[in-house]
Amino acid sequence: MAWTYDDANIFARILRGEIPNRTVAETDHTLAFEDIQPQAPVHVLVIPKGRYVSFDHFAAEASDAEIADFHRVAARVCRERGIASDTTEGFRAITNAGAHGVQEVPHYHLHLIGGRPLGRMLAKADA
Ligand code: AMP
């Protein structure tokens, strides 16, 4: 089975410049921007510029340069937005994939969320 990328998804449109975004960081391979519906004082989305559907698609098929750049940008955003885990109270990095993961936008994105205590990731009753 292969991953199928939908070029009409909203992050593809952001990457093509068709709709605006509040850019936090940008490189040749990676874009970071403010989530439009922030769940905490800091809520930044980091996306690769390549056509990857999900975390596992990106991890399996992106180049080493894309993967390294993506994570360096994410770390820089944590530092610059004051949530880095060595000097602050930390943050949560989340990525949803597919229907069970309740992924709304089918372009891989990492949520960087912080600036307040976030509670447990999943309630034990959900297991
Ligand atoms: P997910 O459920 O993991 O696919 O998350 C999608 C995220 O994209 C949500 O947190 C939305 O608030 C966010 N989002 C949707 N459209 C936009 C947009 N145009 N600009 C920024 N964030 C967006």
Side-chain angles (χ1 to χ4, degrees):
M1 220 171 90
W3 283 282
T4 305
Y5 185 82
D6 173 11
D7 283 297
N9 81 74
I10 196 143
F11 294 169
R13 298 187 61 202
I14 285 177
L15 287 167
R16 290 196 296 269
E18 293 169 6
I19 55 173
N21 73 92
R22 290 172 57 206
T23 298
V24 173
E26 182 167 13
T27 65
D28 286 349
H29 293 305
T30 308
L31 179 69
F33 55 97
E34 303 285 353
D35 195 291
I36 206 165
Q37 286 192 298
Q39 305 296 313
V42 177
H43 190 165
V44 175
L45 301 174
V46 186
I47 69 172
K49 290 187 174 178
R51 298 166 74 255
Y52 302 103
V53 174
S54 58
F55 163 76
D56 51 335
H57 184 199
F58 181 69
E61 296 190 357
S63 68
D64 290 359
E66 290 175 296
I67 290 171
D69 184 73
F70 182 89
H71 291 92
R72 298 294 191 203
V73 169
R76 209 169 73 225
V77 168
C78 289
R79 177 77 59 215
E80 290 175 1
R81 297 304 300 273
I83 57 172
S85 58
D86 58 345
T87 53
T88 78
E89 298 300 318
F91 64 96
R92 181 166 293 147
I94 303 172
T95 183
N96 299 313
H100 278 193
V102 196
Q103 180 179 8
E104 290 170 11
V105 181
H107 181 114
Y108 172 45
H109 50 283
L110 186 67
H111 298 255
L112 298 176
I113 300 171
R116 66 167 172 80
L118 297 166
R120 285 192 180 276
M121 188 167 64
L122 293 174
K124 284 186 178 159
D126 291 342

